[in-house]
Amino acid sequence: MQERVFNFSAGPAVLPLEVLEEAQRDLLALPGVGISVLEISHRSKDFQAIIDAAEANLRKLMNIPDNYKVLFLQGGASLQFGMLPMNLLGNKSADYIVTGTWSKKAMSEAKTQGSVRCAWDGSAENFSKLPQPEEINLDPNAAYVYYTSNETIQGVQFPSEPETNGVPLICDASSEFMYKPLDISKYGCVYACAQKNCGPAGVTIVVMREDLVEASPDNLISVLSYKKMAEAQSMLNTPPCFAIYIFKLVTDWMLNVVGGMDKMYAINQKKAALLYDVIDASNGFYLGHAQKDCRSIMNVPFKMATADLDAEFIAGAKDAGLVSLKGHRSVGGFRASIYNAMPIEGVERLAQFMNDFMRKHQ
């Protein structure tokens, strides 16, 4: 087998090696079952044990209150952009805090379902900053307030949730989900597509307060109704069985190898500091995109003063076993996604490569 490289992709992204090895061992036949998880019926007691364990792990790690439902859905965050307003808008309007590409897309999709207001828009500065609390123009009668806690492309991350004064807060946490402890009780809903920080592509985790689940209109298509999906315990139709199985293994790893969310957060902070220290000490050779008070711990976009050396940087990084570092076209330069499963050794190697590259070209 070819030696594994360090994968800094924004998603689908790196998975823990221990998880991949366990899935590899059991792919032909789950222990005690005799068939692959790829073949197992979602109606079987064996798969029920898998999805129950996945939910139990999530509830334990994130300390989810009993009055919140956990749903394993499909369609990614992009489906949630429309499903949320479809279920929650009613005859009201919703407020959107637009801090990057994904919250902008979410607002655009929500407009197809009803009335939407932009409570703050950071596009004038290419989404390099976050609003101050007094800059957010909220409607006290809104159906909900929506924000993206970590913008994958621009690398801006909220250090804490915005205050909504009782209006339900909805959070797309796709590229930071489970990176640190979170007080779920402050939210009406937190959701995430798994393929960035806690699993493979195919499953979307939705954690939603029961009163919001029950607010789903009765005239929705069943698979687009939170209430009907909750009543069916995420199995109204065939769920993404393999993706849920891997999510279960990832949460096993968080519990038993990492040791919980506090330790996960400490590791993530250390990894991010390694890269930001290189950027800050480079005297302008490397330039970060996000302002310092809202830098993402998960996604680190950066560039050089000119793009002349970009191709050489990417090629040299690949030779050093560091891949998927090209930045998004809207930001340029490079982006290192250092999600939960990225080992600290990978970040150390990237930091060393960045320093060596800088010394070579200064």
Side-chain angles (χ1 to χ4, degrees):
M1 184 178 67
Q2 186 176 4
E3 181 183 356
R4 281 177 59 82
V5 297
F6 292 110
N7 173 24
F8 292 91
S9 172
V14 61
L15 287 165
L17 182 59
E18 296 92 335
V19 168
L20 295 173
E21 289 173 337
E22 183 171 354
Q24 182 186 50
R25 285 194 302 269
D26 296 343
L27 186 62
L28 290 180
L30 283 169
V33 180
I35 59 174
S36 172
V37 68
L38 292 169
E39 304 169 303
I40 196 170
S41 168
H42 66 292
R43 301 298 182 191
S44 67
K45 63 179 178 61
D46 299 302
F47 181 72
Q48 188 66 53
I50 290 171
I51 195 170
D52 287 347
E55 178 174 344
N57 284 354
L58 175 60
R59 286 187 176 276
K60 182 176 182 180
L61 283 162
M62 300 300 288
N63 195 26
I64 297 174
D66 292 340
N67 65 322
Y68 283 73
K69 295 289 188 183
V70 172
L71 303 176
F72 295 97
L73 305 182
Q74 301 178 63
S78 294
L79 182 58
Q80 293 306 305
F81 294 166
M83 191 170 171
L84 279 159
M86 191 181 296
N87 280 261
L88 302 183
L89 261 185
N91 295 319
K92 293 186 175 182
S93 177
D95 286 344
Y96 278 68
I97 303 171
V98 180
T99 54
T101 298
W102 296 113
S103 49
K104 182 179 179 180
K105 287 189 176 183
M107 186 176 70
S108 176
E109 291 290 270
K111 287 178 179 178
T112 68
Q113 301 302 311
S115 178
V116 173
R117 295 175 64 254
C118 182
W120 187 83
D121 185 356
S123 59
E125 296 182 73
N126 197 18
F127 301 121
S128 62
K129 59 175 287 188
L130 293 178
Q132 296 300 312
E134 65 274 10
E135 295 177 311
I136 305 175
N137 178 25
L138 296 179
D139 175 6
N141 297 312
Y144 59 84
V145 176
Y146 182 103
Y147 83 116
T148 301
S149 53
N150 182 72
E151 289 282 0
T152 318
I153 292 173
Q154 288 81 15
V156 293
Q157 185 174 38
F158 280 81
S160 61
E161 52 281 307
E163 176 57 57
T164 64
N165 298 312
V167 176
L169 181 62
I170 309 297
C171 178
D172 173 3
S174 291
S175 54
E176 69 163 34
F177 191 56
M178 306 184 76
Y179 90 105
K180 73 171 185 177
L182 188 69
D183 185 355
I184 296 289
S185 67
K186 294 181 178 181
Y187 295 82
C189 172
V190 177
Y191 76 84
C193 54
Q195 72 267 17
K196 296 178 182 295
N197 206 33
C198 55
V203 64
T204 302
I205 298 96
V206 175
V207 182
M208 182 174 284
R209 209 171 61 211
E210 286 181 343
D211 62 302
L212 297 181
V213 171
E214 292 299 318
S216 298
D218 293 331
N219 62 348
L220 294 179
I221 296 170
S222 296
V223 294
L224 297 179
S225 165
Y226 292 124
K227 181 165 61 176
K228 291 175 182 176
M229 291 300 289
E231 289 171 351
Q233 297 181 312
S234 301
M235 289 195 282
L236 192 151
N237 63 335
T238 305
C241 298
F242 185 73
I244 292 170
Y245 162 72
I246 297 294
F247 175 79
K248 185 262 182 189
L249 297 187
V250 171
T251 51
D252 284 342
W253 171 79
M254 289 185 186
L255 282 166
N256 303 322
V257 178
V258 177
M261 298 314 305
D262 286 324
K263 291 183 179 179
M264 188 83 264
Y265 185 38
I267 293 168
N268 285 329
Q269 288 177 304
K270 183 177 181 179
K271 290 188 297 187
L274 286 169
L275 298 187
Y276 287 123
D277 285 350
V278 172
I279 293 169
D280 291 342
S282 71
N283 293 317
F285 186 86
Y286 296 115
L287 304 168
H289 178 75
Q291 295 186 9
K292 289 185 178 182
D293 63 349
C294 59
R295 284 172 163 174
S296 172
I297 289 177
M298 296 281 96
N299 308 99
V300 182
F302 62 97
K303 62 178 67 175
M304 291 179 280
T306 71
D308 297 347
L309 296 173
D310 284 10
E312 183 180 342
F313 183 97
I314 292 294
K318 183 178 181 180
D319 289 342
L322 309 165
V323 302
S324 300
L325 283 165
K326 186 176 181 180
H328 190 272
R329 60 186 177 277
S330 64
V331 176
F334 318 101
R335 174 177 53 179
S337 294
I338 50 176
Y339 299 128
N340 286 348
M342 171 57 68
I344 196 163
E345 293 80 10
V347 184
E348 289 172 339
R349 187 185 296 185
L350 175 57
Q352 184 62 54
F353 172 79
M354 290 171 66
N355 276 322
D356 291 345
F357 189 88
M358 177 176 60
R359 282 192 290 268
K360 178 180 176 182
H361 291 284
Q362 275 184 325

